[in-house]
Amino acid sequence: MEMKLVKGILKYVKKIIPVIIIISSLFSITAGAESYVYNYEGEALRTPDAVTVKYYADSAYSGFSVLSEPRDMDFDAAGNLYIADTDNNRIVVLDRYYKFVNEYRSVTLSDGSKSDFSEPTGIYCCKNGTIYIADSKNGRILVADCDFNLINTVTATAEEVLKESFVFTPLKVSASTDGRIYAIADGVYDGLMEFDASGKFVSFSGAAKVTYNLFDKLWMKYGTEKQRKQRTKNIPTEFSNLDIDSEGFVYTVNASVKQSDPYSSEPIRKQNNLGTNILKTTDELKNPIGDILYPYSKSDASVTGPSKLIDISAAADYGYVVADEKRGHIFVYSSSGEIMFVFGGSGSNIGTFTLPVAVSCYGSEIAVLDGITGSVTVFTFTEYADLIISATENYHNGKYDESYEEWQQVLKTNSNLNTAYVNIGKILIRKGEYKKALDYLKLGQNKAYYSKAYKYYRKEILKNNLIWILLGIAAVLSIVIAAVHFLFKGVNTRLNSKRWFSGLKYSFHIMAHPFDGFWDMTHENKGSMSAALILYAFFTVSVVVRTACRGFLLSPLGGNANLPAAVALSIIPILLYCVCNWSITTLFDGDGKFSQIYMGCAYCLTPYLLVSVPITVIGNFVTLEETAILNVISAFAIIWCVFLLFCAMVTVHGYSGSKAIVTIIATVVAMLLVIMLVVLLFNLVRQMVMFVISIYDELTINL
């Protein structure tokens, strides 16, 4: 009787131990899987927790023998998880609750014999029940049923792929429901290897673009044949992993992101039948690249550089999930390319990873395989994440009212989520509430949809108030014409006697006749210092107005008007140019005086002064496409200013054209040196002050 009681207690304890392990895991996750998201300024913002740990499946909990360097995993249609345990030459199967079900070390042939695995590195479970195994060391892809009875063996020879000394070593595999097989093979840089349903090699597809910098192009064009052969070839990056979504599109990831120009990379691709990348991306964040904010290689941080994306799962209805091997982060993207949230990290706590090697999704669960610990961490969404996913799905399914309410609830939890503002703005556009949409899209920093909403809003305003707008424009023009007439007819006689006024009028003469104008300014005493001072004041005012009053579409994302900085940037560079130019031209035998350099530089600003304020005002009433016209006008005005500066250099100092260009370049270099010396001096003074303060603190404490 006592023995039965003891056995019963032990049996009960065995049942509750896994539950205790899971519960204890849940309490340790909060610090390990902090969630964040990026805004359109590229800043990482902390968000409410998007996930919690549902299961932590290791050998102790699941009941399988310890995994040794597992490389891949995938869910089947029933939610069973298949793990490629590479070094143990087996496939481990876990049930829906991540308990050990079976392990397979071979496939069964038609005659009943077995064919063993040798370092299987990839596995894919098709929705129709077929299982694909990348049997790496055996140089084959095995196609089997759910009981691991062999259906087909896929191989490729050097003759088929038209490559000498080619050895087929499949690393990862995926397949569509119609039987087409896609594989990543070791040493293959031409893209994915595509096989038909019978297992015959068809072609390569989806190779990443090769980009050449200017140095590469010059080397390839002008280098000798021997030099070109010795130069390292630019080859596409080898893919890390792949997956196929419910519509049959192939997703791939590679671990290469350029640190110098990350958005030129395509670490995540979605390709059609032609191998073209059709991945949707947001206008502001461009290509999804994993982490946007990261320390560079010159930093003292222990982990530097962009993300190293190692795996992707496209099975989720809400989008796709990507794993970063470098920092252990898991990125969740919507189907429209918006980053919804990021979680995970490197560490030893549950919810973080030592080395994530695979990620797979099933319903609302995200499973991450750790290649070092041999464990599977299964995350499930919190209410906050469920709201985001539901709102996103409702929007794409046309349920805009439901999506609107859910996004509003999301904002109550996290008011810093740009995606919420943008999606609410999109819904309001569809409802015809354009004015309200503008407010949300501005908060979301989305210029593309802001421009679209403004276009409809402007059309609506013009339609309802066209007569009043025309009358207003006519009234303003009448007032301007009357003011100009009064100025030049009624007051012009008295003002002409003022040197500062005639000096201002002279700026228009210099614009039209720069060489004659600067010559007369230098030798005929035309122009005036007071007029130059007024022009500099106008320039400062125009910079401040443009900084404070420019429209959202002409403003940098997230840029706030910093008026003191605008004033400083309008005054200091001009003064610095005048001083450095006078110093350089004194050494280069220039004829100009400092006062002439000062006046000439002021007159060179006239084209910018004429267009700056009008462009700022007009910029508040144009769409994104129309801003291109304003940018062209601004660029033309700046080019005109530079040309006037060149004319002033030639005329005032008596230089030839080439010597004037060299002098301008030397002046710019001198300005940079002065700035560098000022910064260095500032740092030295700051360090001295800190040193004195530290000594004072020590004396105060000790005495």
Side-chain angles (χ1 to χ4, degrees):
M1 182 69 179
E2 291 180 356
M3 286 298 295
K4 288 183 179 181
L5 181 61
V6 171
K7 288 181 179 180
I9 292 173
L10 290 174
K11 186 177 181 181
Y12 178 75
V13 169
K14 287 181 180 179
K15 288 182 178 180
I16 66 170
I17 283 177
V19 178
I20 294 172
I21 293 173
I22 296 174
I23 293 174
S24 62
S25 300
L26 294 177
F27 283 111
S28 62
I29 177 54
T30 305
E34 293 184 348
S35 301
Y36 63 96
V37 71
Y38 286 102
N39 61 16
Y40 292 116
E41 301 165 47
E43 298 174 335
L45 301 177
R46 179 77 170 89
T47 68
D49 290 330
V51 296
T52 57
V53 171
K54 188 175 183 179
Y55 296 98
Y56 180 73
D58 58 3
S59 57
Y61 167 75
S62 299
F64 53 75
S65 57
V66 177
L67 304 178
S68 179
E69 292 194 22
R71 303 285 181 83
D72 202 7
M73 67 178 179
D74 197 21
F75 286 100
D76 66 10
N80 299 309
L81 185 64
Y82 291 71
I83 303 173
D85 187 11
T86 304
D87 276 10
N88 286 329
N89 301 317
R90 62 174 180 167
I91 303 297
V92 175
V93 184
L94 308 181
D95 66 13
R96 186 67 195 88
Y97 304 100
Y98 303 93
K99 291 292 189 178
F100 176 73
V101 174
N102 206 343
E103 66 174 41
Y104 297 91
R105 297 181 178 273
S106 61
V107 290
T108 304
L109 306 182
S110 57
D111 60 0
S113 60
K114 303 286 186 179
S115 180
D116 294 336
F117 301 136
S118 181
E119 295 190 12
T121 55
I123 188 164
Y124 180 77
C125 301
C126 198
K127 301 308 177 186
N128 59 14
T130 307
I131 298 172
Y132 298 81
I133 303 111
D135 195 12
S136 178
K137 285 297 182 180
N138 284 328
R140 61 184 181 177
I141 295 172
L142 299 173
V143 185
D145 61 19
C146 58
D147 295 320
F148 280 73
N149 296 308
L150 184 65
I151 298 174
N152 194 12
T153 302
V154 178
T155 59
T157 63
E159 292 77 14
E160 289 178 309
V161 301
L162 302 177
K163 288 181 177 290
E164 296 181 4
S165 67
F166 171 78
V167 177
F168 183 51
T169 307
L171 300 177
K172 307 295 177 183
V173 63
S174 191
S176 61
T177 52
D178 61 2
R180 285 180 295 120
I181 302 171
Y182 299 88
I184 297 172
D186 187 28
V188 174
Y189 301 97
D190 300 286
L192 300 176
M193 298 187 69
E194 183 178 349
F195 301 84
D196 62 20
S198 66
K200 181 180 179 182
F201 174 75
V202 176
S203 64
F204 296 103
S205 66
K209 294 186 297 184
V210 178
T211 57
Y212 296 91
N213 57 36
L214 180 62
F215 182 75
D216 290 328
K217 292 178 180 178
L218 292 174
W219 189 281
M220 296 301 292
K221 184 174 182 179
Y222 298 107
T224 64
E225 183 177 354
K226 184 177 181 180
Q227 289 172 331
R228 289 197 296 267
K229 286 182 179 180
Q230 290 176 345
R231 183 155 180 80
T232 303
K233 294 181 179 179
N234 279 14
I235 55 177
T237 305
E238 190 176 20
F239 293 120
S240 302
N241 218 319
L242 75 162
D243 198 12
I244 294 182
D245 66 9
S246 58
E247 297 178 344
F249 291 106
V250 180
Y251 286 73
T252 60
V253 290
N254 66 66
S256 177
V257 177
K258 294 180 181 177
Q259 181 166 290
S260 58
D261 187 14
Y263 289 121
S264 66
S265 309
E266 293 182 344
I268 305 174
R269 291 171 55 89
K270 175 184 178 181
Q271 68 179 55
N272 57 17
N273 292 333
L274 300 176
T276 305
N277 184 15
I278 59 171
L279 187 71
K280 291 182 180 179
T281 58
T282 59
D283 297 321
E284 283 71 21
L285 290 183
K286 306 175 184 177
N287 296 339
I289 59 172
D291 273 316
I292 298 171
L293 186 67
Y294 50 82
Y296 282 76
S297 55
K298 295 181 181 179
S299 170
D300 294 332
S302 58
V303 180
T304 60
S307 297
K308 186 178 180 181
L309 305 183
I310 194 66
D311 194 16
I312 186 168
S313 176
D317 294 332
Y318 48 82
Y320 51 96
V321 181
V322 185
D324 172 23
E325 180 186 71
K326 183 177 287 186
R327 296 181 180 87
H329 290 157
I330 308 299
F331 302 89
V332 182
Y333 293 93
S334 71
S335 56
S336 58
E338 297 167 322
I339 186 167
M340 293 194 287
F341 38 80
V342 187
F343 63 91
S346 297
S348 56
N349 293 333
I350 295 177
T352 60
F353 319 103
T354 308
L355 182 68
V357 294
V359 61
S360 192
C361 300
Y362 184 80
S364 61
E365 297 178 358
I366 299 176
V368 182
L369 176 63
D370 194 317
I372 300 296
T373 62
S375 61
V376 177
T377 307
V378 184
F379 299 89
T380 188
F381 297 126
T382 62
E383 184 179 352
Y384 168 76
D386 283 334
L387 266 177
I388 294 177
I389 293 171
S390 178
T392 303
E393 290 179 344
N394 282 332
Y395 177 83
H396 290 297
N397 293 331
K399 299 178 181 179
Y400 302 117
D401 291 334
E402 292 89 337
S403 179
Y404 179 86
E405 294 299 328
E406 288 169 336
W407 282 121
Q408 290 287 4
Q409 293 181 50
V410 170
L411 286 178
K412 291 178 182 178
T413 307
N414 180 17
S415 60
N416 293 322
L417 189 63
N418 286 42
T419 302
Y421 291 111
V422 172
N423 281 284
I424 290 174
K426 291 178 182 179
I427 294 170
L428 291 172
I429 291 175
R430 291 182 174 273
K431 290 183 174 183
E433 300 179 33
Y434 307 121
K435 178 64 173 66
K436 193 175 179 181
L438 291 174
D439 297 332
Y440 278 97
L441 292 167
K442 190 173 183 178
L443 288 170
Q445 295 287 291
N446 189 299
K447 290 187 176 183
Y449 278 93
Y450 182 94
S451 175
K452 186 177 181 179
Y454 181 74
K455 183 178 181 180
Y456 292 128
Y457 177 65
R458 186 179 63 181
K459 184 178 180 181
E460 190 177 75
I461 293 296
L462 290 174
K463 182 180 179 181
N464 297 331
N465 304 278
L466 182 60
I467 296 176
W468 294 107
I469 291 172
L470 292 176
L471 290 174
I473 293 174
V476 171
L477 289 176
S478 300
I479 294 171
V480 171
I481 292 171
V484 172
H485 179 78
F486 175 75
L487 179 64
F488 284 94
K489 296 296 182 181
V491 189
N492 194 33
T493 304
R494 294 197 304 270
L495 289 179
N496 274 335
S497 62
K498 305 293 184 180
R499 185 165 175 77
W500 64 266
F501 184 73
S502 60
L504 287 178
K505 290 175 62 177
Y506 190 68
S507 63
F508 295 99
H509 175 72
I510 286 182
M511 281 182 59
H513 309 282
F515 289 104
D516 291 340
F518 285 119
W519 174 269
D520 291 340
M521 184 194 76
T522 306
H523 299 89
E524 301 295 335
N525 200 27
K526 294 291 183 69
S528 70
M529 293 290 287
S530 56
L533 182 61
I534 293 173
L535 289 173
Y536 284 133
F538 283 165
F539 177 70
T540 301
V541 171
S542 67
V543 171
V544 170
V545 169
R546 190 160 191 177
T547 302
C549 304
R550 58 189 168 186
F552 171 65
L553 296 178
L554 291 176
S555 303
L557 288 176
N560 296 319
N562 189 337
L563 299 186
V567 173
L569 290 175
S570 66
I571 296 175
I572 294 175
I574 292 175
L575 293 177
L576 187 59
Y577 174 84
C578 292
V579 172
C580 291
N581 185 253
W582 175 76
S583 303
I584 294 295
T585 53
T586 300
L587 297 175
F588 286 9
D589 299 323
D591 298 333
K593 302 176 182 178
F594 183 82
S595 60
Q596 294 169 341
I597 296 172
Y598 176 83
M599 283 193 294
C601 189
Y603 284 125
C604 291
L605 297 173
T606 306
Y608 178 84
L609 295 177
L610 291 176
V611 303
S612 179
V613 173
I615 283 178
T616 302
V617 174
I618 296 172
N620 288 274
F621 303 98
V622 297
T623 62
L624 194 61
E625 295 79 10
E626 295 161 351
T627 57
I629 301 173
L630 301 182
N631 291 333
V632 170
I633 296 173
S634 295
F636 179 75
I638 292 172
I639 292 171
W640 199 348
C641 291
V642 173
F643 174 69
L644 291 178
L645 191 66
F646 168 77
C647 296
M649 188 71 66
V650 171
T651 309
V652 172
H653 296 291
Y655 286 159
S656 63
S658 58
K659 190 172 183 179
I661 294 173
V662 172
T663 306
I664 292 174
I665 295 173
T667 302
V668 173
V669 172
M671 292 172 64
L672 295 175
L673 289 174
V674 170
I675 293 172
M676 184 179 68
L677 290 174
V678 170
V679 172
L680 181 61
L681 179 62
F682 175 79
N683 286 332
L684 288 175
V685 171
R686 185 176 62 86
Q687 290 177 9
M688 288 178 62
V689 171
M690 295 298 295
F691 177 70
V692 172
I693 292 173
S694 63
I695 292 176
Y696 175 78
D697 291 339
E698 288 290 335
L699 292 174
T700 304
I701 293 171
N702 294 327
L703 296 178

